[in-house]
Amino acid sequence: MVGVCFYFQVHQPCRLRNYRVFDIGHNHQYFDEEKNKTIMQKVAKKCYLPANALLHRLIKENNGSFKVSFSITGIFLEQCAHYVPEVLESFRQLAATGCVEFLGETYYHSLAYLYARDEFNEQVQQHHELMQQTFGKTPVIFRNTELIYNNELAHHVEKMGYQGVLAEGADHILGWKSPNFLYRAKTTNALKLLLKNYRLSDDIAFRFSSRDWSEWPLTAPKFSQWLSAINGNGHIVNLFMDYETLGEHQWEETGIFAFLEHLPHEILKHSDNFFLLPSEVIHQFEPVGELDIHNPISWADIERDVSAWLGNTMQQAAIRELYTLEAPIKASKNPELLKDWRRLQTSDHFYYMCTKWFADGDVHKYFNPYDSPYEAYITFMNIIADLKKRIT
């Protein structure tokens, strides 16, 4: 018996415009609205609309046996409402099927947990309320930005009322253990830990269209056979990936939609297979053991740590400067200032400053509006300088 748990991250940042040093003190428009609109419309056409329509049809055709979960950031939904309201409506239609779960996270897809715990709490609450208002759903499972996780985070989100949390099934924390079981976080009383099966997830997310891959082409029957082979050696296979895998990272011409269209039928051919939502996983299975994870892990790059956002001195200086402004900005009681500061917390702004341009270079360049990480840093720090002037 093996359950399959699909989880998709849905997110687009508010990209910054080319903010020059001459703009400091004169122009408080930090975000490139035209670029953000263009990207949202392009990805909506290639991914969000066709993928949502396909998932909706698959749920109906399988009479509720096919299920998926999402974490959708607040700034993504804001941009949906402004630029592509039809995408927002299609997510509402998915929510109405009863076969879709929405997870909790930070509203701004931020790294606040690592730097500002009160701010983290406020953003999680803001996102919690957004899920209730937009979809009528109350998240019970948490997913921190980019699956950043450690013991301390598990303890904290359990105190906030969450029953489960998602994390990367990284080799260096699992050792001989399998990601295909449910675990318990060591520092919690009962919080369940769902781990990404990164090999099977990345077969779809990264290797699907690679003709250099020995398993190309990946077909639904072949993938379902790999899943069925886990029967007897695991309870659950967690397939976690960016939603933009469908149609954007893997273009329609690669056959990704045809693959997904046939996958539920192939998986459900095996009578021991079934789909589960994260909240169903934590009730159906008992943890097989504890995991003790001190240093933060994530799903990014080959290191599976936080170096994609905080690995160099530019990134560290930029985020340190940003969070030193928390107290004066909140004391100002200026809602526009607070909103701009929070939009600047989105992890993508620091990801663009990453200087790891080798094995992970292609991933870091995707959707990156800058020619270099240094340009990203200069733009960001110019904006921080203007933000400081607005406080005083």
Side-chain angles (χ1 to χ4, degrees), residues 287-359:
V288 297
E290 286 184 344
L291 286 181
D292 186 9
I293 303 172
H294 294 263
N295 297 319
I297 60 171
S298 78
W299 71 357
D301 299 345
I302 55 177
E303 295 89 351
R304 303 295 202 272
D305 59 14
V306 295
S307 59
W309 307 273
L310 302 170
N312 65 45
T313 54
M314 289 190 300
Q315 294 167 309
Q316 295 159 12
I319 200 165
R320 192 166 54 242
E321 282 293 307
L322 181 69
Y323 281 110
T324 58
L325 301 179
E326 179 182 6
I329 283 179
K330 289 184 175 176
S332 74
K333 307 292 185 185
N334 182 332
E336 289 303 315
L337 197 57
L338 180 63
K339 186 173 183 180
D340 284 346
W341 177 69
R342 284 181 163 162
R343 283 183 167 187
L344 292 170
Q345 292 181 44
T346 300
S347 64
D348 303 68
H349 300 312
F350 309 100
Y351 195 74
Y352 299 145
M353 299 176 199
C354 185
T355 47
K356 294 191 295 182
W357 293 111
F358 298 100

Side-chain angles (χ1 to χ4, degrees), residues 1-71:
M1 179 175 68
V2 64
V4 178
C5 179
F6 258 117
Y7 153 74
F8 295 107
Q9 162 67 48
V10 190
H11 167 64
Q12 289 291 339
C14 292
R15 292 166 183 82
L16 305 177
R17 71 179 185 85
N18 180 21
Y19 196 88
R20 304 165 305 166
V21 67
F22 307 107
D23 292 323
I24 298 171
H26 304 287
N27 190 334
H28 307 321
Q29 300 301 317
Y30 304 146
F31 303 97
D32 192 333
E33 301 297 344
E34 192 57 37
K35 180 174 290 182
N36 290 323
K37 176 182 177 181
T38 300
I39 290 175
M40 282 294 292
Q41 290 177 335
K42 183 191 76 158
V43 186
K45 186 177 180 181
K46 293 180 68 178
C47 168
Y48 303 134
L49 288 171
N52 281 2
L54 177 57
L55 292 181
H56 193 275
R57 180 161 60 81
L58 290 173
I59 289 169
K60 294 296 184 185
E61 287 177 354
N62 287 281
N63 298 313
S65 295
F66 177 61
K67 305 171 182 181
V68 297
S69 61
F70 293 101
S71 64

Side-chain angles (χ1 to χ4, degrees), residues 190-372:
L191 189 79
K192 309 291 177 54
L193 187 54
L194 291 83
L195 298 176
K196 173 185 168 185
N197 183 316
Y198 77 82
R199 290 184 177 85
L200 289 171
S201 299
D202 292 354
D203 285 342
I204 300 174
F206 297 124
R207 290 182 282 274
F208 183 81
S209 60
S210 174
R211 296 186 177 229
D212 295 330
W213 183 32
S214 61
E215 296 293 346
W216 185 90
L218 180 61
T219 63
K222 182 191 291 185
F223 194 77
S224 64
Q225 285 176 6
W226 294 348
L227 293 174
S228 296
I230 295 171
N231 271 296
N233 294 305
H235 295 152
I236 184 76
V237 177
N238 295 311
L239 300 174
F240 300 168
M241 64 196 76
D242 287 336
Y243 199 35
E244 293 78 15
T245 296
L246 308 177
E248 180 59 46
H249 299 332
Q250 306 291 345
W251 290 13
E252 181 181 6
E253 291 78 3
T254 66
I256 190 69
F257 287 116
F259 169 81
L260 180 62
E261 183 171 9
H262 293 96
L263 191 60
H265 175 69
E266 291 295 331
I267 290 175
L268 294 171
K269 269 184 180 177
H270 196 302
S271 59
D272 287 335
N273 294 342
F274 48 90
F275 289 92
L276 285 175
L277 298 171
S279 60
E280 295 173 331
V281 172
I282 65 169
H283 290 111
Q284 180 144 341
F285 299 110
E286 289 298 321
V288 297
E290 286 184 344
L291 286 181
D292 186 9
I293 303 172
H294 294 263
N295 297 319
I297 60 171
S298 78
W299 71 357
D301 299 345
I302 55 177
E303 295 89 351
R304 303 295 202 272
D305 59 14
V306 295
S307 59
W309 307 273
L310 302 170
N312 65 45
T313 54
M314 289 190 300
Q315 294 167 309
Q316 295 159 12
I319 200 165
R320 192 166 54 242
E321 282 293 307
L322 181 69
Y323 281 110
T324 58
L325 301 179
E326 179 182 6
I329 283 179
K330 289 184 175 176
S332 74
K333 307 292 185 185
N334 182 332
E336 289 303 315
L337 197 57
L338 180 63
K339 186 173 183 180
D340 284 346
W341 177 69
R342 284 181 163 162
R343 283 183 167 187
L344 292 170
Q345 292 181 44
T346 300
S347 64
D348 303 68
H349 300 312
F350 309 100
Y351 195 74
Y352 299 145
M353 299 176 199
C354 185
T355 47
K356 294 191 295 182
W357 293 111
F358 298 100
D360 303 311
D362 288 343
V363 177
H364 284 264
K365 290 174 185 173
Y366 212 91
F367 287 137
N368 190 336
Y370 303 102
D371 292 330
S372 78

